[in-house]
Amino acid sequence: MNTATEPTRTPPAQATCGFRRVGRPVEGEAVILVPELQALLTDLHRLFESARRQRLAARVARQAEFDAGMLPDFRADTRSIREEDWTVAPIPAALQDRRVEITGPVDPKMVINALNSGASCFMADFEDSNAPSFANQITGQRALRDAVDGILSFTAPETGKRYALDPASRTVLIVRPRGWHLDEVHATVDGEAIGGGLFDLASFAFHNAKTLAWRERGPYFYLPKMECMEEARLWDEVMAFLEVRLNLPVGTMKATVLIETLPAVFEMHEILHTLRGRIVGLNCGRWDYIFSWLKTLRRHADKVLPERGQVTMAQPFLKAYSELLIQTCHRRGAHAMGGMAAQIPIKGDLDANERAMQRVRADKLREVTAGHDGTWVAHPALIPIAREVFDAHMPTKHQHHVQREDVQVTRDDLLKPSLGTITRAGFDNNVEVCVRYMAAWLAGSGCVPIHHLMEDAATAEISRTQLWRWLHHPTIAAKHGVPAEPLHLDDGTPVDWALFERALINLPSVIGDRRAMPGGDRVDAAIALLDRLTHADTLEAFLTSAAYPQLVESDLRAA
């Protein structure tokens, strides 16, 4: 640890013009949105908003090319980056061993339980497992600030049980801000919404970066949803600006990038190179990756995936993605992190629970023997299982020595769809998961247990996008000269709008008592949203973007 005196918190200063807080007041926001942070957010927005918008416009233009028939591929203009020898900057001691990471939203109870869990790292998530109401954002920032200070506690109102941080915890905190595509409409600069990712990252860094840097524990971030090296460069410029503004050495902030979009898998070397002064690894964000694969190739008649349960990491296109990530990272001296085990313990059924845990063991065994340096779990009960597997097969802190020179992945390997079927149960499950998750999300919960799996926005996106792709297949096929016939379930039933409507009509009986589910009072709104998004001629880029106006409607009405 550094021997310098631990820094004190930055005192408030006078408010800065340009920043405006929109909507209903949120408890505790004055503690987070101090005038100096408002000034910092104002400067960030003015410096980087134009570039953010340019990157988002570039995404739209690139998707239009994919819709017109182009396929993603490795870039010709960056061939030298892929072929030359170089490595990323040394990895800090606190991030050398990341064999088991737990992820979850930023509510105080989750933060305490995750930091007390014994995991190597905790990814505190402002993104896919968090519904971004402003109350959730502020509560999360307060929870993380108190956690860094070692004073976070929480008393459950329904039980009176008190939760507190274990002073002996060595779990490393990593924060995931929202992606470039999401706005924070509750905070504007010069009348424009601030980028959600800028708000999250800057707010956390402002309150915690000096303390974490003094302890040599960060600040560390997971960067989501990027599609190209230019988006990585924008993150790098933002973090460099913050480091200068907060009087930190450039490179203090470290990042792990989630490779969770199909375009990004073709630019992994480039992303590592762009962030080489601060990046420590790439992560197989498998659920978002499957969603992005579907979304990117949505207008290609031959790119259809079977139901979600059959799209496992054993499928060739996902195996190629995982192994290419390992090879790329280890060649460059970076960690290759594995994906999420979404299972949660099944109470009251020992046999079913054991089968579920065996699936977790098999998944983690696949990852560690392939060469991954660590993995993710969604529930504390899975940490011992994942750790046991990694400890048995990875006695060192990581596996950078596993170079995977045997891996030869082509563009077509990454684009070839997996074989499989669509069952009635799989179709209906997609409808149910979408509605249950969206109802909970609209009610403020971004992480929802459904059928013994922890569902977040990424898994709901797979279900939503599959429904759209399957149902629009005749139209897509017709534009490619393929017979405009519907897909079929494995029992021969056409996958058509009648099947979809029956699933929606039957859904209330499947759900049962709405009072027993998160967001039960938002089920009708969720059904209407799914119906609208599925019938739309164009696939909505993100469910969260489409649903965000409903989430914040009551807050903004007060503005």
Side-chain angles (χ1 to χ4, degrees):
M1 179 179 289
N2 292 342
T3 57
T5 304
E6 183 168 0
T8 57
R9 293 295 184 182
T10 305
Q14 288 189 341
T16 303
C17 63
F19 180 92
R20 182 180 175 222
R21 169 69 177 90
V22 182
R24 299 177 186 274
V26 170
E27 181 182 357
E29 68 176 87
V31 176
I32 297 299
L33 286 176
V34 295
E36 284 195 353
L37 176 56
Q38 295 178 24
L40 178 60
L41 291 168
T42 299
D43 290 344
L44 276 170
H45 179 84
R46 289 172 175 169
L47 282 169
F48 296 110
E49 178 62 12
S50 176
R52 182 175 80 100
R53 292 295 173 186
Q54 289 174 9
R55 296 318 323 156
L56 294 176
R59 284 187 186 180
V60 173
R62 196 178 191 187
Q63 183 61 54
E65 293 178 336
F66 296 145
D67 288 346
M70 190 179 82
L71 290 171
D73 204 345
F74 299 99
R75 289 171 60 160
D77 63 325
T78 57
R79 179 184 298 274
S80 62
I81 294 177
R82 295 193 298 274
E83 294 180 349
E84 291 173 359
D85 289 330
W86 51 267
T87 57
V88 302
I91 297 175
L95 294 177
Q96 285 285 327
D97 189 331
R98 297 173 61 178
R99 65 190 59 220
V100 182
E101 299 187 343
I102 188 169
T103 76
V106 288
D107 61 273
K109 181 180 175 182
M110 178 68 204
V111 172
I112 292 169
N113 286 341
L115 291 175
N116 289 350
S117 68
S120 307
C121 301
F122 164 47
M123 189 198 77
D125 190 17
F126 284 100
E127 206 216 14
D128 274 359
S129 63
N130 172 62
S133 68
F134 203 61
N136 283 353
Q137 301 306 112
I138 293 296
T139 298
Q141 291 286 353
R142 291 179 65 196
L144 295 182
R145 172 188 162 117
D146 288 350
V148 170
D149 283 349
I151 61 172
L152 179 61
S153 64
F154 173 74
T155 301
E158 63 276 9
T159 64
K161 183 178 179 180
R162 185 176 183 274
Y163 299 81
L165 289 176
D166 181 355
S169 170
R170 298 300 298 162
T171 298
V172 176
L173 176 63
I174 308 177
V175 174
R176 177 163 72 170
R178 282 169 284 182
W180 286 130
H181 62 288
L182 292 171
D183 292 340
E184 179 47 77
V185 299
H186 298 92
T188 65
V189 172
D190 304 330
E192 297 178 327
I194 295 175
L198 289 180
F199 181 90
D200 299 340
L201 189 143
S203 297
F204 178 79
F206 175 84
H207 286 289
N208 304 290
K210 290 181 181 178
T211 301
L212 290 168
W214 177 82
R215 295 175 182 166
E216 298 181 351
R217 303 278 284 185
Y220 303 140
F221 297 97
Y222 258 109
L223 302 180
K225 302 284 192 296
M226 67 176 66
E227 296 192 1
C228 61
M229 62 182 288
E230 287 79 10
E231 293 184 16
R233 182 176 299 120
L234 183 56
W235 277 118
D236 188 59
E237 291 171 353
V238 168
M239 288 188 284
F241 172 83
L242 286 170
E243 286 166 338
V244 172
R245 187 69 171 262
L246 298 174
N247 296 314
L248 300 170
V250 172
T252 299
M253 295 183 183
K254 298 299 183 183
T256 304
V257 170
L258 293 122
I259 300 300
E260 53 187 352
T261 70
L262 181 59
V265 81
F266 293 97
E267 297 191 32
M268 291 192 291
H269 286 283
E270 291 87 338
I271 289 169
L272 286 167
H273 188 265
T274 300
L275 289 163
R276 62 192 179 277
R278 66 175 76 254
I279 197 164
V280 295
L282 303 178
N283 173 279
C284 278
R286 66 173 85 170
W287 308 123
D288 260 307
Y289 184 78
I290 296 170
F291 159 53
S292 177
W293 196 98
L294 290 161
K295 179 171 65 172
T296 304
L297 303 174
R298 62 195 181 189
R299 295 290 182 184
H300 291 253
D302 60 334
K303 307 299 184 187
V304 183
L305 294 183
E307 63 184 47
R308 171 183 157 190
Q310 297 177 28
V311 186
T312 69
M313 293 302 293
Q315 295 284 6
F317 82 102
L318 290 175
K319 182 174 181 287
Y321 149 68
S322 169
E323 292 181 341
L324 182 61
L325 184 144
I326 294 166
Q327 181 192 64
T328 303
C329 286
H330 289 179
R331 181 181 171 191
R332 305 306 184 184
H335 287 329
M337 301 300 297
M340 168 72 77
Q343 289 86 353
I344 57 179
I346 302 173
K347 297 180 180 179
D349 191 333
L350 293 177
D351 290 341
N353 185 67
E354 180 55 28
R355 289 193 296 272
M357 296 306 105
Q358 287 294 349
R359 287 193 290 273
V360 174
R361 290 186 184 94
D363 182 54
K364 301 313 166 192
L365 180 62
R366 175 193 58 79
E367 289 182 328
V368 71
T369 54
H372 280 291
D373 303 294
T375 191
W376 276 15
V377 298
H379 193 281
L382 304 188
I383 293 173
I385 297 172
R387 186 174 293 281
E388 178 184 3
V389 174
F390 268 78
D391 285 350
H393 297 274
M394 192 178 80
T396 51
K397 292 182 178 180
H398 52 70
Q399 299 192 89
H400 293 187
H401 59 280
V402 179
Q403 293 289 301
R404 292 307 308 266
E405 294 178 357
D406 59 303
V407 172
Q408 300 292 327
V409 173
T410 67
R411 181 196 71 174
D412 291 345
D413 292 330
L414 295 165
L415 300 181
K416 185 177 181 180
S418 53
L419 299 176
T421 61
I422 308 169
T423 66
R424 186 177 299 272
F427 185 93
D428 290 346
N429 184 69
N430 276 4
V431 173
E432 181 186 358
V433 166
C434 284
V435 170
R436 280 183 178 271
Y437 181 79
M438 288 192 292
W441 194 91
L442 290 171
S445 297
C447 192
V448 187
I450 303 174
H451 300 316
H452 310 301
L453 294 174
M454 192 63 75
E455 306 281 3
D456 66 4
T459 53
E461 289 282 36
I462 297 173
S463 298
R464 174 184 73 93
T465 309
Q466 283 194 322
L467 290 171
W468 186 93
R469 179 62 184 83
W470 294 338
L471 289 162
H472 286 267
H473 181 74
T475 303
I476 295 168
K479 292 182 178 180
H480 289 80
V482 179
E485 299 178 355
L487 301 171
H488 290 79
L489 301 181
D490 63 345
D491 65 4
T493 303
V495 178
D496 57 16
W497 294 107
L499 182 68
F500 180 62
E501 295 302 327
R502 283 196 296 272
L504 290 180
I505 291 170
N506 293 334
L507 191 57
S509 62
V510 173
I511 290 176
D513 186 359
R514 298 185 183 187
R515 294 170 299 179
M517 61 173 282
D521 62 339
R522 305 306 301 271
V523 167
D524 291 339
I527 290 174
L529 181 60
L530 177 62
D531 189 53
R532 174 173 66 83
L533 293 177
T534 307
H535 276 90
D537 292 337
T538 300
L539 177 69
E540 184 74 30
F542 292 98
L543 168 63
T544 48
S545 298
Y548 187 52
Q550 293 187 43
L551 179 73
V552 303
E553 180 182 6
S554 61
D555 286 345
L556 297 183
R557 197 180 298 127

